[in-house]
Amino acid sequence: MHFELSEEQLMIQQAARDFAQQELKPGVIERDEHQKFPTEQVKKLGELGFLGMMVDPKYNGSGLDAISYVLVMEELSKIDASASVVVSVNNSLVCYGLEAYGTAQQKEKYLKPLASGEKIGAFCLSEPEAGSDATSQRTTAEDKGDYYLLNGTKNWITNGGTASTYLVIAQTHPELRHKGINAFIVEKGMEGFTVGPKENKLGIRGSDTHSLMFNDVKVPKENRIGEDGFGFKFAMKTLEGGRIGIAAQALGIAQGAFELATQYSKERKSFGKPISEHQAIAFKLADMATQIEAARLLVYKAAWLKDQGLPYTQAGSMAKLYASKVAMDVTIEAVQVHGGYGFVKEYHVERLMRDAKITQIYEGTSEIQKMVISREVIR
């Protein structure tokens, strides 16, 4: 087994690290406080090629591997998970879905501007009652011959207000259950399509999370992705890759909190010496470092399997399940290491702790990941 990164991967990692420190860190507390979307920062991420990292260059992508993608996600998430989730959705869900299953026309019209960062995409699966259960879609798409008539509501949509292109999962043939579901490309501005108010969230407050309403929205037939009834399979295949991105985000949040806790423990003194020299703190740091390294290996393995064209369903779910737990555990401990200062915004760790929680919820809760893993293990 080979654990070293290539020279190109190291360069990409460093570029992401520099961007996070120079572009994301200044103002990150203010953006969190005021729920401000990182517009300028996302634009620059697009210019760097980070919004279409794994897309073929012929579609304006960077043509990089999944390992490079998780390296970027990790570095950005150390500083600002609100920005990294934009990268995650645009890469793992939207661009991947279009490149893997879209028609030549769809790739030309929609994938190219998304991969270049000219436009931002959103993946619309969750609903008020169905959540992430793709088999229970209440949003409907009635076949009208030349077009589909879309009606329904989607919840918790990342990039909901800033996106221009939306991949929407809807039910066309209720009697066929999951085999009657379709996936559609919907454009902002289509008549009957409205964006609800921005959600006031616990964490990733800078990200753009909205409900979306569809009221007799006419979607052209050519905007359906795949054959009639392909929507459920499309959603499941797309989410498999999305879990790797979220696992990398969780890993980055944990690593960022760990680095802050380690630095603080060397500077803060009690009883005449740095608190890092007290066994109570040293053991915390040891546990945190071990958990993070274990999570990193799971995340990198899942990305490597994807790069090799090997099955990665189980590996992706394991990475997402474990890394999100580590993110929560480590950020809580990082706040504890900081003591009272950990409760203060200017020390960053309280924000990282709030951001960590969402990694256990989106792209399928921890319970859903356990269902996926157990199914794969039994199989």
Side-chain angles (χ1 to χ4, degrees), residues 293-303 315-316 318-319 322-323:
E293 191 61 20
R296 180 172 290 113
L297 291 172
L298 282 172
V299 174
Y300 287 14
K301 179 186 177 182
M318 283 182 168
Y322 187 71

Side-chain angles (χ1 to χ4, degrees), residues 141 143 148 171-177 179-182 228-229:
D143 192 340
Y148 286 90
Q171 179 63 264
T172 301
H173 310 287
E175 70 280 4
L176 298 179
R177 298 174 62 86
K179 292 183 179 180
I181 293 171
N182 280 307
D228 189 18

Side-chain angles (χ1 to χ4, degrees), residues 172-232:
T172 301
H173 310 287
E175 70 280 4
L176 298 179
R177 298 174 62 86
H178 71 281
K179 292 183 179 180
I181 293 171
N182 280 307
F184 302 93
I185 304 170
V186 177
E187 299 177 32
K188 177 176 282 184
M190 284 183 169
E191 187 176 353
F193 174 29
T194 56
V195 178
K198 186 173 182 176
E199 301 289 353
N200 188 0
K201 306 188 299 291
L202 170 73
I204 58 166
R205 289 169 56 80
S207 74
D208 200 20
T209 308
H210 294 257
S211 292
L212 308 177
M213 282 72 74
F214 305 94
N215 183 20
D216 286 343
V217 179
K218 290 183 177 180
V219 182
K221 210 60 170 284
E222 60 266 25
N223 280 32
R224 187 187 71 202
I225 300 174
E227 296 297 321
D228 189 18
F230 181 68
F232 176 76

